[in-house]
Amino acid sequence: MLPALYALFFLSGAAGLMYESIWTRYLALLVGHSAYAQILVLTIFLGGMAVGAFIVGRYTERLRSPLIWYAGVEAGVGILGLLFHPTFRAVSAAAYDSLFPALVSSPGAQFALKWLLAAILILPQSILLGATFPLMSAGILRRWRFRPGAVLSWLYASNSLGAAVGVLLAGFYLVSRFDFPGTLAFAAALNFAVAVTTLVLVRRWKNSPTLQQPASLERVEIVSPEQVSPRRMRSLLLGAAFFTAVASFAYEIAWIRMLSLVLGSATHSFELMLSAFILGLGAGALWVSQRIDRWRDPLRALGLIQCAMGALAVATLPLYLASFRLIGKLIELFDLTSAGYVGFTVARYGICLLIMLPATFCAGMTLPLITRILYRNGANEGAIGDVYATNTAGSIIGVQLAGLVLLPVIGLKMLVVAGGALDVAVGLVLLYVALPRSEASRTPTLATLFAASIVLFLIASCLRFDRSLLSSGVYRFGGLPARGDFITTFYRDGRTATVTVRRSREGSLILSTNGKPDASVDSAWLAPDAARRKRRSLVDDVSTQVLLPLIAIAHAPHAKSAAVIGQGSGMTSHYLLGSPTLRELATIEIEPEMISASKAFRPLNRRVFSDARSRFVLDDARSYFAGAGHRFDLIVSEPSNPWVSGVAGLFTTEFYARIKNYLAPGGVFAQWMHLYEMNDGLVLTMLAAVQENFPAYVVYLSDDSDIVIIATTASSVPDPDWRVTEWPLMAEDLGNVSGLTPQSLDALELADANALSPLVATVRPNSDFAPVLDLSAEKARYLRGEAKGFEELNGSAFDIVDAMSGHPMSLATDTAVLTDVPRLHARAWSARLRLFPNDTSSADSSYVPIAKRHRAFETAISGSSPPDWRRWVSLVFAVDRDVHGGSPGSVDKAFYERINALLTRANAPQGVQESVEFLSAADAWDFAVVQRVGDELIRKTRTGETWLPPDYLRDATVVAHLKNADPRGAKSAFDAMLPLVSRDTVAQLRTSLLRGHIARAR
């Protein structure tokens, strides 16, 4: 029956890690994601386990049946697990709605309350979880006394291996399938199953005698150290349990941060790292279980293992540096497919094991050895709880010391070296006690180990951590910079991330967190004032860094108070401070080193540092707003990418519900989101979260792969006042930007709620408790996906969204391009084609085919009847798009006058005349004509007489029926054309959008 108990403890370990991973994410919603918050949450969890182990350790010998108590504890954990979600929702709602606002004037009391609530939420079940190991161990050892070391090792191993599996099962399957509440329910079901099965086993053994030691089992004479009293031995071993835990958490924190530079800082990456760390512990405990009761001198073995652990932790540093090139090779090896992502994830897990397993394998042997020695020395069952509690207490000190003190001061490499030195020091002390003083080799052995350790640590300390390598972000594309490509001008291991600033050969500056660029400016923007006077388009990150604050403040030109989530380059806050009406601006940043790093972007962000209205807030955004004590006229959210762990929580419906409450009446909220390394479905989940909380919103493109959502608490989004570009401070900063006109800025609008809401309403919102973005964005990044449907939403032949919104745009008159947005390019080409038809210069290579088509059109329109009318209609359609590109709802009448003149001269076929009539009506949004002619052209298309592209014909005709309040006709046209239209990513979004409008209209 012993294997059955080990199996139950395996399940218990799996449930325990499911709880820990989910509770941590719940509590981050209450207390924030700052380094202090993360570590304090872990402290509460570990503290509760230490208390549980300590209390049970004091009383297990008085318990008649520890296994029955164990079953009760497992059932209790399960009950609390089931109650956690509704309890958390109630507590967090009360805190945010009533308690925190009441304590605005007392930040200290608010802080204390926050942590009191966190403790109330997880401390009881943490105490129960801490009690499980001592109870299970005591229950088994009362029946299997003859091999205590093997029993304890198997229990450590089974629980740890279960935990390693549990964290992966929860992170990669359960949460995506059942959300957070369902995952907690699954873990609770495991607890109940363990409890019931344990009771069944206890009932079966109730009348069976205690097992006696088999005669075949070898009796080992244990060597005891000379002149060491039991009390001193107990203190020595508990000290070893404490300090090895301190060292282990130093490793864990350092490895997780180090590997995040190799694997990325997504939630799934952290789950792989945590599982690999725990798997090493379980593997070590499993290995030692077959040997622990046969070692004559377990104290000496413990000392040697401690020394080996410290040495191996340090010795893997070269392997860590090699992992950068290894991950690059793996990215090349695996296909950019779903199957490739699975293989890549397994390979990443292998890298985690490569770095962590040598040291954690040794760590997994230590607690069984310590407990076994104390148990044999007469401490009996009390030793189990004492060792577990002391080790957990060491973990608490280790996580705080390593995460909050040592890491920012000595950096990642030296944190590993410090942990290794501590482990070796513990090992040498143990060997000093274990080795008999009469043994001639005692002094040479200790001296040799000490000297070897010093040499190893000196070599490790001198090992060069190439900052260019560390900040390469190799996990994204697999490439590593060549020597001299970048100069690292700033590098800091902060409390939450490694922050770097690099300068490229060309002079561009790139600010990165954990290797992922979060801001950049090209050399032109950093040039002296005189050199920057040349007008140029906005490109790359600069486009969003300029247009995000510009679009935001244009919708709230009279804002007096504002807040920005995320410092980045600091340019967003800088441009907002160009407002003459703004009285205060809070820039909220979770990582202090980001603020220090952004100073490299001066003078482009100078006002955020020098303006008296500006202040920095070092806090998590949720936490700050809960205690801000007042509302804001404008809030701009510009965090990192949502695949970064913790960031997706700033894109959820619950966060937007809170943000809405922190806005003043009529206040404006601006949200940045990227379309690169993303897909349309994930963007829709974020928009669904916005739509669920804001009555109106508008989506803008800030370049070809970034969007800005402007939402408001009012019934409609206010019209933008582009005169903000004329404010003195703003005009000074934007003097070198070309194409900065109200027409170009208006053309950045992608869609509004009127156009998108029917589709968005069918999508499940991204939620704190169903984190679709957090779970799926990393895979989208690996696949290098793009939200093409959104990128080209108003770049299709017929602009569905502007037509449904009733948002026409006049024909373009400016050939300058503000930024790399398809509509802006189309408008510039249209203006050039209409205003300068004889301009044949080829500086813009993309314009060459447009000019060529126009020459062919001029030839065709000047002649008589063309030999092939279908080819002629195709040419007219293409030139029509060139002439009217980016100008929905507007028509160049002169263009069609010439075409109609030819149709009359040549007595064109009816299909040709209908096609031209349809094109002209669609351009002018004459939906009565579009509906009438479109239905006829659809009929002809279905019989094989095709004149216009099916997608264009379908889109314009369906929209015409909808605009004419004819949903039945819209559905008929939609269904008729469905087999003929494109099915690529871009077309699928348009198809889904039309289907949503039809369903709503009916």
Side-chain angles (χ1 to χ4, degrees), residues 358-600:
T360 55
F361 187 86
C362 295
M365 301 184 222
T366 57
L367 288 193
L369 268 170
I370 292 170
T371 311
R372 189 259 193 191
I373 296 170
L374 283 174
Y375 189 83
R376 281 292 192 186
N377 283 0
N380 295 325
E381 294 174 6
I384 303 168
D386 290 345
V387 172
Y388 198 83
T390 303
N391 185 258
T392 308
S395 300
I396 295 171
I397 299 300
V399 70
Q400 294 186 3
L401 183 65
L404 299 179
V405 180
L406 294 179
L407 177 58
V409 175
I410 65 176
L412 293 170
K413 180 183 71 174
M414 293 310 298
L415 183 56
V416 173
V417 172
L422 180 58
D423 266 334
V424 169
V426 171
L428 291 174
V429 170
L430 292 171
L431 288 173
Y432 179 82
V433 175
L435 293 174
R437 296 186 179 182
S438 58
E439 191 172 301
S441 62
R442 182 175 187 264
T443 300
T445 299
L446 292 173
T448 300
L449 288 172
F450 180 76
S453 301
I454 293 297
V455 171
L456 178 63
F457 294 143
L458 286 175
I459 293 173
S461 301
C462 296
L463 185 67
R464 182 172 177 266
F465 267 35
D466 185 347
R467 292 178 172 181
S468 180
L469 182 71
L470 298 177
S471 58
S472 63
V474 63
Y475 52 83
R476 295 183 72 195
F477 305 113
L480 290 172
R483 185 179 297 276
D485 282 353
F486 296 96
I487 298 173
T488 303
T489 61
F490 181 95
Y491 184 99
R492 297 278 175 79
D493 292 317
R495 290 191 173 96
T496 62
T498 296
V499 182
T500 58
V501 176
R502 297 182 295 161
R503 186 181 296 274
S504 69
R505 289 180 186 270
E506 298 76 23
S508 300
L509 280 183
I510 305 163
L511 184 152
S512 301
T513 53
N514 290 336
K516 188 200 73 65
D518 273 332
S520 67
V521 292
D522 60 72
S523 57
W525 281 78
L526 298 168
D529 288 345
R532 287 195 292 116
R533 292 304 175 191
K534 179 182 177 182
R535 288 184 176 270
R536 52 176 54 86
S537 300
L538 298 171
V539 296
D540 300 328
D541 287 346
V542 169
S543 185
T544 296
Q545 289 160 196
V546 170
L547 291 176
L548 168 59
L550 182 58
I551 294 169
I553 199 67
H555 285 84
H558 304 295
K560 293 180 173 60
S561 62
V564 175
I565 302 173
Q567 165 72 349
S569 67
M571 291 174 67
T572 295
S573 295
H574 169 83
Y575 280 99
L576 291 180
L577 288 164
S579 166
T581 64
L582 199 64
R583 295 177 182 174
E584 63 166 337
L585 173 70
T587 302
I588 308 158
E589 176 54 56
I590 199 170
E591 175 51 62
E593 297 301 342
M594 283 291 287
I595 297 173
S596 300
S598 67
K599 293 177 181 178

Side-chain angles (χ1 to χ4, degrees), residues 763-810:
V763 177
R764 187 183 185 188
N766 185 47
S767 167
D768 287 338
F769 311 112
V772 179
L773 266 180
D774 190 45
L775 294 171
S776 304
E778 186 198 36
K779 181 178 179 181
R781 187 206 77 205
Y782 171 81
L783 297 176
R784 301 179 193 174
E786 288 186 65
K788 280 285 189 182
F790 276 97
E791 289 179 356
E792 301 183 24
L793 189 57
N794 54 22
S796 57
F798 183 81
D799 191 335
I800 295 173
V801 291
D802 279 319
M804 293 306 301
S805 300
H807 180 241
M809 296 199 68
S810 61

Side-chain angles (χ1 to χ4, degrees), residues 2 6 137 140-141 144 147-156 293:
L2 194 56
Y6 293 149
S137 302
I140 294 178
L141 288 173
W144 284 273
R147 292 191 62 190
V151 167
L152 292 169
S153 298
W154 266 100
L155 286 174
Y156 275 112
D293 290 305

Side-chain angles (χ1 to χ4, degrees), residues 84-143:
F84 185 84
H85 179 74
T87 303
F88 178 85
R89 293 295 296 265
V91 168
S92 60
Y96 279 105
D97 296 339
S98 304
L99 299 177
F100 292 161
L103 296 173
V104 165
S105 60
S106 179
Q110 191 180 79
F111 179 84
L113 175 63
K114 189 181 296 184
W115 290 107
L116 175 63
L117 295 176
I120 290 172
L121 284 168
I122 67 168
L123 196 57
Q125 49 266 58
S126 299
I127 292 173
L128 291 179
L129 285 172
T132 56
F133 186 83
L135 287 170
M136 175 66 89
S137 302
I140 294 178
L141 288 173
R142 289 187 186 182
R143 301 186 61 82

Side-chain angles (χ1 to χ4, degrees), residues 749 752 755 794 796-810 823 881 884 886-892 896 917-931 952 955-956 959-960 963-964:
E749 182 178 325
D752 63 11
N794 54 22
S796 57
F798 183 81
D799 191 335
I800 295 173
V801 291
D802 279 319
M804 293 306 301
S805 300
H807 180 241
M809 296 199 68
S810 61
R823 175 185 272 178
R881 295 298 82 223
H884 299 96
S887 305
S890 298
V891 63
D892 185 340
Y896 277 104
E917 184 180 14
F918 185 87
L919 284 170
S920 176
D923 288 338
W925 287 0
D926 186 345
F927 293 118
V929 174
V930 173
Q931 177 177 322
Y952 174 78
D955 292 353
V959 168
K963 298 295 285 187
N964 294 328

